[in-house]
Amino acid sequence: MPAGAHYPIQFEGQTREACCRGCQAVAQTIIDSGQGAYYTHRTALPATPREAEAELAQLGLYDLPEIQESFVRVEAENIREAALILENIVCAACIWLNERHIAGLPGVLSVEINYATRRARVRWDNSRIQLSAILKAVSDIGYIAHPFDPGRSDDVYKRERNTAIKRLAIAGLGMMQVMMYALPAYTATDMTDEIRLLMRWASLILTIPVVVYSAWPFFIGAWRDLKRRTLGMDVPVALGVGTAFVASVYSTFSGHGEVYYDSVTMFIFLLLTGRFLEMNARRRAGAAVEELVKLIPAATTRLPNWPARDEEQVPVARLTVGDHVLVRPGETLPADGVVVEGVSAVSEAMLTGESLPVSKSVDAKVVGGSLNQASPLVVQVEKLGADTRLASIVRLLDRAQSEKPRIGQLADRAAAWFVGLLLVITAAVGVAWYVVDPSKVLWIVVSILVVTCPCALGLATPAALTTGTGRLTRLGLLTTRGHALETLARATDLVFDKTGTLTHGRLSVRRVVPLGGRNADEVSAIAAALEAGSEHPIARALRDACSSVLTASGIRNTPGRGVEGTIDGRNYRLGTPRFAANGDAPPAAPASDSGESWVALAAESELIAWFALADTPRPDAAAALAALQKQGLRLHLLSGDAEPAVKAVAQQLGIADWHAGALPEDKLAYVKMLQDDGRIVAMVGDGINDAPVLAGAQVSIAMGEGADVAQAAADMVMLGSRLGTLSEGVALARKTQRIIRENLGWALAYNLVAIPAAALGHVTPWIAGIGMSASSLLVVLNALRLSDFKSGAAPSAAPTGSPLTASR
């Protein structure tokens, strides 16, 4: 038990202690759900964490709905989805093996594993298979799977990192000592046979812990692959190390032949060094998801007797919908909800990419994971756990990072047969050298097995994809489909909806035209008083345009026409020109070519003012669209609004191709027409009516403020309202594709050069170890360049070889 820990659990009338909030919450849930027999009948603690996991799986505790609440999402009656963390993952082949094994289980609908974060997202039919059976199936092939928890994920990483450092230290010390004995054997000219034999025995003793302990994961991985009748990257490594070590032991005991202890220890050390650096780089590449899942705090202040101010500290896992929580300045909101007391500024930067805090007051919606900055807020909880917006973002980001684009699928297929081809080549080269010079066969065969690197081929796409999507999320553009980045990089045309996408989606007063000697403030105050109790968009616009306050009485609303009432004894009418004039001949509205809607105000049937209302473009729309045009994209505007309004926005934002009065089927037909011309179309929209065209475009982007159905149909979601994110997304997508091509090119070029060089005898085993480690590490480090992508960076030219260029 950690010093100072106090996490009490009530069991059989006694208070027991737990080591942390997580164990406290899980243990109490097990007891409260009637499964306390687990603790009553347990005769001893599990000897290892792995045995603990097996014990829990046998008892089926992970199948209990109470346990699953925190990490399982229910999609339908029997369809479940869970986030799991995998241990013992060492290379891309491990991901392939686990995906193939889990997907083959009856009842498993899909499985996607993110290599960078080692997180698996599994969907299954609960009527056909239980979660405990899935966890056991993973354990059967030598891995450990358990429900994802941010704190536990850190513990797993720290434990694996510490183990890797120990193995690396043993290999490094062994290598240095063996090289100390090997150097005299290479350089001395008068060494006696007895001294040479003594050096060999000393080298053997020092090499044994390196092979048995430091290289043990390679042998375990190879045995696991062979049992599953697959050929992973550990197979050639284990063959190379094992062959060289066994041959050296034979030479030591027989007293003749060459020994390779120095090459074996150096190779193991270099390979472990490469994997250790790759592990750290991979951790950094998946930092975006880890940062998001850690936003929710472990505990919060609940007000159990609201509106009374009684406070209690509780784990977030114990909150229920309807609870009231107090969030002080500097604290993070624990769940999605609505403000019931207080006014404050809340930072949503990690969720939306918006740097400025957002004002929140009573009845405002707040998102779990956002930071309260100014004043205390009392929030009523509406969504928890897997139902929150943050959980949805993490889930979509996981899916996007796990799904592989076409180029990645091709690389995976190549890596799958690469090892088999390598073993055939190695056998053929070994036979050839046995005929030419038998003394060189062993170290040449070892060099070929060691120098090849299908891991670099398998890492090329997921490393870049994970880093790119993570960086894009921090910029405010969430990728929800694996193909989205690849397709966005090739896009030639960008089609926009108008309302809510390029504009705010709400009316505002553009102009006030007072008549009869009155001033604009006076007539605005009268209009605001008449609309004081209405929630109509026009009413809100008129109220927002006025700062002074008047009071109207006897207000009567005529739907579709307007409103009338009395202010200071005079009768006023506000609405359509015909309604305001209260006559058969409506007055003519002022001339305008900007597509505004006109509202008339009359006093005792005398017209006293005109108000021009229109939807206002977003302040950054013009600059964002100009940046997209500089990137070589052709812009289109499709809207269901009237022609004057659409034309005005198009001219204001510099869009040449625009169409007004477009129904959902018209928008879809327009996109299909562009696609028939060989264009790659990206669609940006926000409304329910945009869902069909979003689904029909090659890549679609939904506004984060838009309808849920639009977001569900989209490949990407803008988390904030900043349109500049689009040009940054295009630039980052193109850079991601360049890095994927660079990685694949390097992996292929390296193997095309390294294998012939090793086969011809120009590469020694220790040089082969350096090459293999460096090739994988270089791929990951190259992908990490995406994490330094600067906001606002954008290329000025369309991508080379894009369909736009080809169609011309």
Side-chain angles (χ1 to χ4, degrees):
M1 300 295 298
H6 181 63
Y7 303 102
I9 301 169
Q10 298 300 320
F11 181 52
E12 294 184 340
Q14 299 181 4
T15 300
R16 309 291 182 91
E17 292 293 336
C19 59
C20 64
R21 292 188 193 277
C23 289
Q24 179 193 39
V26 171
Q28 197 66 57
T29 302
I30 291 172
I31 295 167
D32 294 344
S33 63
Q35 301 295 322
Y38 168 69
Y39 296 108
T40 303
H41 299 297
R42 182 176 61 182
T43 57
L45 292 174
T48 66
R50 180 172 178 177
E51 290 181 17
E53 294 294 335
E55 190 172 320
L56 285 174
Q58 290 169 4
L59 292 172
L61 294 179
Y62 283 134
D63 298 329
L64 294 174
E66 298 88 347
I67 302 296
Q68 292 186 358
E69 278 183 0
S70 62
F71 68 94
V72 174
R73 188 170 68 99
V74 179
E75 295 185 359
E77 183 179 357
N78 286 311
I79 306 303
R80 305 286 190 271
E81 181 180 273
L84 307 175
I85 191 77
L86 294 182
E87 297 186 39
N88 299 339
I89 298 292
V90 294
C91 69
C94 299
I95 301 296
W96 177 84
L97 175 61
N98 276 277
E99 285 183 338
R100 182 179 176 184
H101 182 64
I102 297 173
L105 298 174
V108 173
L109 305 179
S110 66
V111 56
E112 297 161 350
I113 304 175
N114 187 325
Y115 177 57
T117 62
R118 304 185 185 187
R119 292 180 61 186
R121 195 158 293 278
V122 183
R123 293 177 68 248
W124 72 95
D125 184 343
N126 207 50
S127 64
R128 299 176 60 196
I129 189 171
Q130 298 291 307
L131 177 60
S132 57
I134 297 175
L135 300 181
K136 185 177 185 304
V138 175
S139 177
D140 289 342
I141 59 173
Y143 298 88
I144 300 174
H146 46 75
F148 174 75
D149 174 76
R152 189 165 186 176
S153 176
D154 284 342
D155 291 341
V156 169
Y157 169 71
K158 291 175 182 177
R159 185 168 65 249
E160 291 183 351
R161 188 175 184 273
N162 290 337
T163 301
I165 290 175
K166 292 176 185 177
R167 296 188 192 278
L168 188 59
I170 296 297
L173 290 172
M175 177 197 67
M176 288 187 291
Q177 294 299 317
V178 170
M179 290 300 295
M180 183 179 70
Y181 291 124
L183 185 61
Y186 291 139
T187 58
T189 58
D190 55 350
M191 182 179 293
T192 63
D193 291 339
E194 291 78 7
I195 296 296
R196 190 178 301 275
L197 184 60
L198 178 63
M199 294 290 189
R200 289 188 173 189
W201 278 101
S203 298
L204 170 60
I205 294 172
L206 292 168
T207 303
I208 288 175
V210 177
V211 172
V212 172
Y213 178 70
S214 297
W216 186 247
F218 302 122
F219 294 109
I220 290 295
W223 176 245
R224 180 173 57 225
D225 292 341
L226 293 174
K227 280 201 305 182
R228 300 297 306 171
R229 297 181 180 180
T230 61
L231 294 175
M233 191 55 242
D234 286 330
V235 173
V237 171
L239 278 176
V241 171
T243 302
F245 180 70
V246 169
S248 300
V249 171
Y250 174 79
S251 297
T252 302
F253 277 91
S254 65
H256 58 79
E258 297 294 330
V259 294
Y260 303 96
Y261 297 124
D262 53 339
S263 295
V264 169
T265 54
M266 184 176 290
F267 165 56
I268 293 172
F269 173 75
L270 292 173
L271 190 57
L272 289 175
T273 300
R275 285 198 172 180
F276 179 74
L277 296 175
E278 179 191 322
M279 177 176 66
N280 292 329
R282 188 177 59 235
R283 176 78 173 183
R284 182 182 166 194
V289 176
E290 297 299 322
E291 289 171 3
L292 286 175
V293 297
K294 291 178 183 176
L295 289 180
I296 297 295
T300 189
T301 303
R302 182 167 62 185
L303 305 177
N305 302 312
W306 174 260
R309 308 299 296 194
D310 301 333
E311 299 181 10
E312 62 176 3
Q313 288 289 318
V314 297
V316 171
R318 290 193 181 181
L319 290 178
T320 59
V321 173
D323 282 350
H324 291 80
V325 295
L326 174 64
V327 185
R328 296 182 173 87
E331 294 181 348
T332 302
L333 277 84
D336 292 0
V338 60
V339 177
V340 296
E341 181 182 284
V343 177
S344 185
V346 174
S347 172
E348 300 177 349
M350 281 296 294
L351 299 172
T352 66
E354 301 282 354
S355 58
L356 297 177
V358 181
S359 177
K360 300 291 183 181
S361 57
V362 175
D363 294 334
K365 299 286 186 180
V366 290
V367 180
S370 52
L371 178 67
N372 184 22
Q373 292 187 332
S375 305
L377 291 175
V378 177
V379 176
Q380 183 177 9
V381 175
E382 293 185 335
K383 293 181 179 179
L384 286 164
D387 296 326
T388 62
R389 185 183 180 194
L390 177 62
S392 175
I393 290 173
V394 171
R395 190 161 52 247
L396 292 173
L397 186 57
D398 265 347
R399 182 179 69 184
Q401 292 181 343
S402 301
E403 290 179 353
K404 298 179 179 67
R406 289 175 300 173
I407 192 171
Q409 294 171 359
L410 179 63
D412 284 352
R413 286 196 295 269
W417 55 257
F418 184 89
V419 174
L421 180 61
L422 164 66
L423 296 179
V424 172
I425 292 174
T426 303
V429 172
V431 171
W433 274 101
Y434 184 79
V435 174
V436 176
D437 187 352
S439 64
K440 296 182 179 180
V441 170
L442 181 61
W443 68 264
I444 288 178
V445 166
V446 171
S447 296
I448 296 175
L449 291 172
V450 168
V451 79
T452 52
C453 191
C455 264
L457 198 60
L459 279 172
T461 299
L465 198 62
T466 299
T467 310
T469 52
R471 178 59 182 147
L472 206 55
T473 301
R474 288 194 288 268
L475 291 175
L477 186 59
L478 174 66
T479 305
T480 66
R481 294 289 193 279
H483 74 89
L485 271 182
E486 179 186 18
T487 310
L488 184 62
R490 298 187 297 116
T492 60
D493 291 68
L494 198 54
V495 179
F496 288 92
D497 172 54
K498 181 181 77 70
T499 306
T501 301
L502 295 178
T503 66
H504 288 291
R506 59 180 182 270
L507 293 173
S508 62
V509 177
R510 289 278 192 88
R511 285 193 292 162
V512 179
V513 183
L515 305 173
R518 300 175 183 264
N519 62 54
D521 292 340
E522 179 186 358
V523 297
S524 295
I526 294 172
L530 292 172
E531 297 284 16
S534 175
E535 290 302 318
H536 192 279
I538 292 178
R540 287 197 297 267
L542 291 170
R543 288 198 303 269
D544 291 343
C546 177
S547 56
S548 59
V549 178
L550 294 177
T551 302
S553 60
I555 296 176
R556 296 179 301 280
N557 180 51
T558 304
R561 295 177 180 271
V563 63
E564 61 181 307
T566 302
I567 300 176
D568 295 333
R570 297 197 68 184
N571 187 56
Y572 293 91
R573 297 170 68 90
L574 177 71
T576 65
R578 185 186 298 275
F579 176 81
N582 196 21
D584 295 332
S592 173
D593 59 354
S594 301
E596 295 114 337
S597 299
W598 289 96
V599 174
L601 174 64
E604 306 291 353
S605 300
E606 176 192 353
L607 198 64
I608 61 172
W610 290 96
F611 299 91
L613 290 89
D615 194 1
T616 306
R618 297 180 185 272
D620 65 335
L625 298 190
L628 290 166
Q629 288 175 326
K630 288 182 180 179
Q631 290 174 304
L633 290 165
R634 181 180 172 185
L635 306 184
H636 308 259
L637 176 60
L638 302 180
S639 175
D641 293 350
E643 181 174 329
V646 177
K647 180 180 179 181
V649 171
Q651 290 177 342
Q652 187 176 351
L653 300 180
I655 301 177
D657 298 314
W658 57 270
H659 297 270
L663 299 174
E665 54 267 29
D666 298 328
K667 296 180 180 180
L668 183 58
Y670 186 83
V671 167
K672 294 296 185 186
M673 180 191 69
L674 292 175
Q675 292 171 338
D676 290 341
D677 288 340
R679 310 284 201 204
I680 305 296
V681 180
M683 175 70 196
V684 186
D686 77 313
I688 294 176
N689 62 329
D690 293 325
V693 69
L694 287 171
Q698 280 104 329
V699 61
S700 51
I701 304 168
M703 302 297 291
E705 304 166 345
D708 291 342
V709 68
Q711 296 182 21
D715 302 314
M716 310 178 89
V717 177
M718 289 184 62
L719 300 176
S721 58
R722 193 173 61 91
L723 289 174
T725 305
L726 290 173
S727 60
E728 295 168 356
V730 171
L732 184 58
R734 292 176 179 176
K735 186 173 182 180
T736 301
Q737 290 306 111
R738 286 199 304 272
I739 285 184
I740 288 176
R741 287 194 293 267
E742 289 171 4
N743 284 349
L744 290 174
W746 159 254
L748 290 172
Y750 165 79
N751 283 292
L752 288 175
V753 173
I755 294 176
L760 293 173
H762 299 311
V763 179
T764 60
W766 69 270
I767 293 178
I770 294 177
M772 181 185 181
S773 303
S775 62
S776 294
L777 185 60
L778 184 62
V779 163
V780 177
L781 293 179
N782 190 38
L784 282 177
R785 292 195 295 134
L786 292 168
S787 63
D788 297 325
F789 179 84
K790 302 300 181 183
S791 175
S796 59
T800 304
S802 71
L804 176 61
T805 305
S807 67
R808 288 177 178 172

